[in-house]
Amino acid sequence: MTTVTITGRDRHGVGIAVHDGKQIYVPQALVGEVMEVEIGAPFTPKSARCPGTIKEILTPSPYRVDPQQHCAYAGRCGGCQLPHVSYEGQLAYKRDDIVAALSTVVGEQAEAFVRPLIPTSARPCRFKSIRYAASSSSARTPLRLGFYAPNSHDLVPVDACPLEPERFAQVAQGLEAILNELSIPSYDERKPQAETAVRALQLRGGDVNSVSAYLIMTGRLNKAQRTALEHSAQKLGLESLTVGYNNAPGNALFTRELELIAGAESITKTLLGARFAVYPNTFLQVNYEICTKLYEAAIAHCAQAQSHDLALDLCCGVGTMSLALAQHFEQVVGVEIVAESIAAAQANATANGLAQKCDFIAADMTKALPELIKRKRPNAIIADPARVGLGEANAKLLGKVPGPCRLAVIFCALTALKRDLPLLIKGGFKLDYVQGFDMFPGSQHVETLVCLTKA
Ligand SMILES: C[S@@+](CC[C@H](N)C(=O)[O-])C[C@H]1O[C@@H](n2cnc3c(N)ncnc32)[C@H](O)[C@@H]1O
């Protein structure tokens, strides 16, 4: 047994101690804690990095809580990473992470740019929306839905997750029961699947407590299975049940091949005063309270532009921010790579009486940006890319936007912020402020809004 002090955290929330020139990675250890750990063999033969296992915590962090109080699956399930950290501690860690990432760009000034993290008001915050059936360990009979174990694709079956809406647990259990009655197994991601199997279930809440379910399967349902699932959807009171067919190897979920089994094709969600039709294969943030606050902040930054002729909404999804931007600008152009999302965005603009003010382009932003920047000279831009961030090409293109222009970029990952922000600053943008929004409490992820201005 070795006594160590935890001095750092990796990006998965794992505590790091330094001992005898080695870095010891200790899951569930918190910065500042002194503990006895068992040190394992290095991760790779010549590596100075070793795993550590907590044996006894000698000095606990003031942020430590008993995770079992909130969740019976804590420690085994990787659905969230910080169940052993108080909410106050989670907010402090996330803000520290933002400051650390920003300091790689602006040095010691970072602290001054970072505003307090915006927390969720609900405790616990029930935002989780995807359960998995697929597993890399073994296909399960009976089929179970749950989350992956930490750092693996081994399934931890879960009856009810404290981070998902209570109604979702009832729906997941109901669907699990009918899928088992129909003898439909879970997908084994290690081998090609001959029979129809379940990969994952995505649940979404619309307005007025409605729930829609999206089952991602490897093969087509037969008529009897379809009828049974339709009855089950009605019994469970689902607004809709859609099946997506995806027989690609690996663990990708996205598919264009959809079949509506019961109910409506889309759900309706009201955000920022506009009503949005959202489809199973179009993006919608999961934490409505926090995404509303995040969008309001990004739009407020853009609304202070010097002129209000044109705003761009890059990676616009179903137009959630485009329609709100249209309240401040004569014209809004939304760009999005998923054609189904653009079709929904167009219909959403029409349904909200904003079709005249909004244009939507189905394209990769890298292809659309040069023309938009040169010809249209936007006064303000929101960019809300996927976890990979803007990428070097797009950050350089945005750097070429002529001033004056206001820019709000939303980063899902701080690694992307560290890579993209220097390119935006090099392109002539000045950093105004940075703010974290706690979209995914319990996880180590933080959504980070970066607001910039070019004179
Ligand atoms: C985090 S979501 C944000 C969507 C929308 N702004 C919202 O909040 O609902 C990122 C979106 O970027 C889109 N996307 C990913 N890569 C893209 C690209 N290269 N060009 C345009 N859109 C892209 C995705 O399809 C997805 O809808």
Side-chain angles (χ1 to χ4, degrees), residues 141-163:
T141 319
L143 171 144
R144 293 299 320 270
L145 292 163
F147 299 96
Y148 292 141
N151 305 320
S152 85
H153 278 188
D154 294 347
L155 193 83
V156 178
V158 166
D159 289 328
C161 164
L163 293 180

Side-chain angles (χ1 to χ4, degrees), residues 283 295 315-317 320-321 336-338 363-365 384-386:
F283 179 88
Y295 295 168
C315 305
C316 65
T320 37
M321 284 186 277
E336 161 64 50
I337 202 162
V338 174
D364 183 334
M365 62 178 151
D384 185 14

Side-chain angles (χ1 to χ4, degrees), residues 2-10 14-27 29-39 43 48-54:
T2 310
T3 305
V4 297
T5 301
I6 304 298
T7 50
R9 270 177 311 126
D10 73 2
V14 173
I16 305 171
V18 177
H19 178 77
D20 263 357
K22 293 195 177 79
Q23 284 178 297
I24 320 297
Y25 285 74
V26 191
L30 304 184
V31 172
E33 289 186 326
V34 182
M35 54 180 56
E36 300 225 315
V37 296
E38 191 172 279
I39 300 176
F43 289 113
R49 298 159 33 148
C50 307
T53 309
I54 300 179

Side-chain angles (χ1 to χ4, degrees), residues 136-357:
S136 61
S137 55
S138 62
R140 281 168 195 273
T141 319
L143 171 144
R144 293 299 320 270
L145 292 163
F147 299 96
Y148 292 141
N151 305 320
S152 85
H153 278 188
D154 294 347
L155 193 83
V156 178
V158 166
D159 289 328
C161 164
L163 293 180
E164 71 185 353
E166 279 149 307
R167 175 98 171 81
F168 283 14
Q170 288 167 359
V171 171
Q173 284 174 26
L175 288 174
E176 212 175 65
I178 183 70
L179 290 164
N180 278 314
E181 262 174 50
L182 296 170
S183 302
I184 298 178
S186 57
Y187 164 63
D188 180 347
E189 67 177 44
R190 294 167 309 172
K191 53 185 189 200
Q193 208 78 26
E195 56 188 339
T196 295
V198 178
R199 301 174 85 119
L201 167 68
Q202 175 175 277
L203 297 171
R204 263 183 186 156
D207 289 339
V208 292
N209 284 334
S210 61
V211 177
S212 70
Y214 175 32
L215 267 174
I216 299 143
M217 310 191 70
T218 55
R220 298 232 157 234
L221 296 165
N222 63 35
K223 198 166 170 225
Q225 290 170 330
R226 207 173 284 127
T227 307
L229 274 171
E230 185 184 347
H231 288 157
S232 182
Q234 282 155 2
K235 218 168 95 191
L236 289 165
L238 293 179
E239 189 172 359
S240 72
L241 172 62
T242 304
V243 173
Y245 298 107
N246 176 4
N247 202 16
N251 64 336
L253 296 184
F254 187 78
T255 171
R256 291 210 134 113
E257 232 187 300
L258 302 186
E259 184 182 3
L260 182 66
I261 303 294
E265 276 190 324
S266 61
I267 57 157
T268 305
K269 185 69 205 159
T270 304
L271 284 171
L272 301 173
R275 279 161 63 81
F276 294 92
V278 185
Y279 296 80
N281 55 357
T282 59
F283 179 88
L284 186 69
Q285 278 291 8
V286 288
N287 184 332
Y288 299 139
E289 179 201 358
I290 290 298
C291 83
T292 301
K293 291 180 178 165
L294 170 64
Y295 295 168
E296 281 171 348
I299 290 157
H301 176 71
C302 291
Q304 293 171 55
Q306 284 188 19
S307 310
H308 293 84
D309 301 323
L310 175 71
L312 302 184
D313 183 9
L314 303 176
C315 305
C316 65
V318 297
T320 37
M321 284 186 277
S322 316
L323 302 200
L325 278 170
Q327 310 294 339
H328 301 277
F329 293 84
E330 292 298 317
Q331 205 64 35
V332 176
V333 176
V335 180
E336 161 64 50
I337 202 162
V338 174
E340 289 86 344
S341 293
I342 284 294
Q346 265 152 354
N348 288 332
T350 303
N352 287 279
L354 291 165
Q356 298 292 324
K357 299 189 85 178

